[in-house]
Amino acid sequence: MSNSLTIAGIVVPIIAAVAGAAAQHFIPRFAQQRSATRAGLDKLVNTTWDAKWYMHGRDEPYVVDRVRLRELKRGKLRGIGDGPGGEYPVELAAEDHGVLRGTYEASGQSKYDMIGSIVLRRDVGNSRMEGQWCGFSSENTIVAGRVEWSIAT
């Protein structure tokens, strides 16, 4: 299982980097479509999300927390996650077709110490997002898995 976790930890960031580079290459070409896709980002400001973070190959969430998206500035959503280890910053940027990519940094929080990247695809109604996360743990190992965000009730 550690081999598959290691492979996933290597493959996910590579895919994210390639997707990011492709998006940067096509931005000028699809600027009008991108603007239309981003139009819904303002609806995500001041929303709170229930987030479930799963480790690769596991059915139960590793962490369940809340993320509050507070501001939209220069095309980036900024917010605060609040988990079992405390608060941590989250930053998301919009890509085409409802995709958000971003970073998080939960540090000083014992076993929940982690810094990494996240890629989310939002649904049409902006009430759910699903994707993948990958990061370094406090033991300096690469960990990864799927993530599910839904509007907090």
PDB file of all heavy atoms in Angstrom, residues 16 23 36 42 44 68 78 113:
ATOM      1  N   ALA A  16      -1.126  17.798 -11.846  1.00  0.00           N
ATOM      2  CA  ALA A  16      -1.534  19.169 -11.511  1.00  0.00           C
ATOM      3  C   ALA A  16      -0.622  20.186 -12.190  1.00  0.00           C
ATOM      4  O   ALA A  16      -1.095  21.199 -12.715  1.00  0.00           O
ATOM      5  CB  ALA A  16      -1.525  19.367  -9.997  1.00  0.00           C
ATOM      6  N   ALA A  23      -3.183  25.166 -18.873  1.00  0.00           N
ATOM      7  CA  ALA A  23      -4.134  26.263 -18.661  1.00  0.00           C
ATOM      8  C   ALA A  23      -3.456  27.607 -18.917  1.00  0.00           C
ATOM      9  O   ALA A  23      -4.040  28.481 -19.562  1.00  0.00           O
ATOM     10  CB  ALA A  23      -4.690  26.220 -17.244  1.00  0.00           C
ATOM     11  N   ALA A  36     -16.333  34.136 -18.436  1.00  0.00           N
ATOM     12  CA  ALA A  36     -17.686  33.639 -18.189  1.00  0.00           C
ATOM     13  C   ALA A  36     -17.678  32.549 -17.117  1.00  0.00           C
ATOM     14  O   ALA A  36     -18.554  32.508 -16.253  1.00  0.00           O
ATOM     15  CB  ALA A  36     -18.295  33.099 -19.485  1.00  0.00           C
ATOM     16  N   ASP A  42     -17.780  34.977  -7.533  1.00  0.00           N
ATOM     17  CA  ASP A  42     -18.256  35.904  -6.513  1.00  0.00           C
ATOM     18  C   ASP A  42     -19.311  35.251  -5.624  1.00  0.00           C
ATOM     19  O   ASP A  42     -19.474  35.621  -4.484  1.00  0.00           O
ATOM     20  CB  ASP A  42     -18.791  37.189  -7.140  1.00  0.00           C
ATOM     21  CG  ASP A  42     -19.923  36.946  -8.125  1.00  0.00           C
ATOM     22  OD1 ASP A  42     -20.018  35.831  -8.682  1.00  0.00           O
ATOM     23  OD2 ASP A  42     -20.706  37.879  -8.340  1.00  0.00           O
ATOM     24  N   LEU A  44     -19.058  32.352  -4.443  1.00  0.00           N
ATOM     25  CA  LEU A  44     -18.348  31.505  -3.475  1.00  0.00           C
ATOM     26  C   LEU A  44     -17.790  32.301  -2.298  1.00  0.00           C
ATOM     27  O   LEU A  44     -17.420  31.730  -1.282  1.00  0.00           O
ATOM     28  CB  LEU A  44     -17.208  30.747  -4.164  1.00  0.00           C
ATOM     29  CG  LEU A  44     -17.616  29.788  -5.278  1.00  0.00           C
ATOM     30  CD1 LEU A  44     -16.378  29.145  -5.894  1.00  0.00           C
ATOM     31  CD2 LEU A  44     -18.572  28.722  -4.778  1.00  0.00           C
ATOM     32  N   ARG A  68     -13.828  28.379   5.254  1.00  0.00           N
ATOM     33  CA  ARG A  68     -14.591  29.616   4.998  1.00  0.00           C
ATOM     34  C   ARG A  68     -13.856  30.422   3.942  1.00  0.00           C
ATOM     35  O   ARG A  68     -12.720  30.853   4.163  1.00  0.00           O
ATOM     36  CB  ARG A  68     -14.714  30.439   6.284  1.00  0.00           C
ATOM     37  CG  ARG A  68     -15.531  29.761   7.354  1.00  0.00           C
ATOM     38  CD  ARG A  68     -15.652  30.602   8.634  1.00  0.00           C
ATOM     39  NE  ARG A  68     -14.404  31.091   9.184  1.00  0.00           N
ATOM     40  CZ  ARG A  68     -13.569  30.385   9.954  1.00  0.00           C
ATOM     41  NH1 ARG A  68     -13.852  29.140  10.248  1.00  0.00           N
ATOM     42  NH2 ARG A  68     -12.464  30.933  10.431  1.00  0.00           N
ATOM     43  N   ARG A  78      -9.591  33.499  -1.246  1.00  0.00           N
ATOM     44  CA  ARG A  78      -8.792  33.267  -0.040  1.00  0.00           C
ATOM     45  C   ARG A  78      -9.730  32.948   1.114  1.00  0.00           C
ATOM     46  O   ARG A  78     -10.809  33.530   1.213  1.00  0.00           O
ATOM     47  CB  ARG A  78      -7.948  34.492   0.271  1.00  0.00           C
ATOM     48  CG  ARG A  78      -6.838  34.691  -0.733  1.00  0.00           C
ATOM     49  CD  ARG A  78      -5.944  35.869  -0.376  1.00  0.00           C
ATOM     50  NE  ARG A  78      -4.858  35.964  -1.310  1.00  0.00           N
ATOM     51  CZ  ARG A  78      -4.885  36.688  -2.430  1.00  0.00           C
ATOM     52  NH1 ARG A  78      -5.970  37.370  -2.747  1.00  0.00           N
ATOM     53  NH2 ARG A  78      -3.839  36.713  -3.227  1.00  0.00           N
ATOM     54  N   ASP A 113      -0.198  18.435  10.723  1.00  0.00           N
ATOM     55  CA  ASP A 113       0.709  19.320   9.981  1.00  0.00           C
ATOM     56  C   ASP A 113       0.751  18.869   8.531  1.00  0.00           C
ATOM     57  O   ASP A 113       1.016  17.697   8.246  1.00  0.00           O
ATOM     58  CB  ASP A 113       2.130  19.227  10.535  1.00  0.00           C
ATOM     59  CG  ASP A 113       2.330  20.059  11.776  1.00  0.00           C
ATOM     60  OD1 ASP A 113       1.355  20.650  12.245  1.00  0.00           O
ATOM     61  OD2 ASP A 113       3.466  20.092  12.271  1.00  0.00           O
TER      62      ASP A 113
END
